Amino acid sequence: QSALTQPPSASGSPGQSVTISCTGTSSDVGGYNYVSWYQQHPGKAPKVMIYEVSKRPSGVPDRFSGSKSGNTASLTVSGLQAEDEADYYCSSYAGSNNFVVFGGGTKLTVL
Amino acid sequence: QVQLQESGPGLVKPSQTLSLTCTVSGGSISSGPYYWSWIRQPAGKGLEWIGRVSSSGGTNYNSSLKSRVTISMDTSKNQFSLNLSSVTAADTAVYYCARWPTSKGDFDYWGPGTLVTVSS
């Protein structure tokens, strides 16, 4: 059982928007602004899409956005494209001892 | 451009020790501040953080694996390593090494991953 809770699946048609949630506790998501989102295509390493809740690394399309409210973080993908179909994992800093926890992952399907 | 590459045996027998090395290029592992981590992913499952070593050599481990894990660094080779003892089939996974800049709070560079199977 993963420390952070994500829905196992999400879907949307091309051009639509989809939001994936990530629920933790006050010891991780709610306690720090170090929530990240990773995209993983089959057989590939994860790639960071969002860091520090809402920041995008260079090269990540602005169709990807992140937010947080209380113990729940969210990733929104706008203007869905076929290449967005992948698994998405959230993670959160959880203090100096536990360091980082991950969600169980959400499989995003572009219909 | 920083690159990470995992290496080590792809098959380990039960009860033995799994040993992997991550070779870093494009930057020194002793300059930082960074945390250099090991993360694993069983087939079809999610990601699990195993542990980390800091640029200064300090370590922290996942409490669920702490009794079996050792992570060390070799600055002369620009490598850091993972030893996981007393392995079972449950340790079969793709193992990744990754970098966490302390100023940003995310894993910004990852190795491609290496599959380790525990089987007799």
Side-chain angles (χ1 to χ4, degrees), chain A residues 32-47:
Chain A
Y32 306 95
N33 286 324
Y34 285 135
V35 175
S36 306
W37 290 90
Y38 300 88
Q39 177 190 66
Q40 187 179 36
H41 287 111
K44 301 294 186 182
K47 172 189 174 184

Side-chain angles (χ1 to χ4, degrees), chain A residues 8 13 18 22 32 43 51 54 70 78-79 82 87-88 104 109:
Chain A
S13 299
V18 64
C22 170
Y32 306 95
Y51 69 99
S54 60
S78 305
D87 293 327
Y88 290 85
T109 301

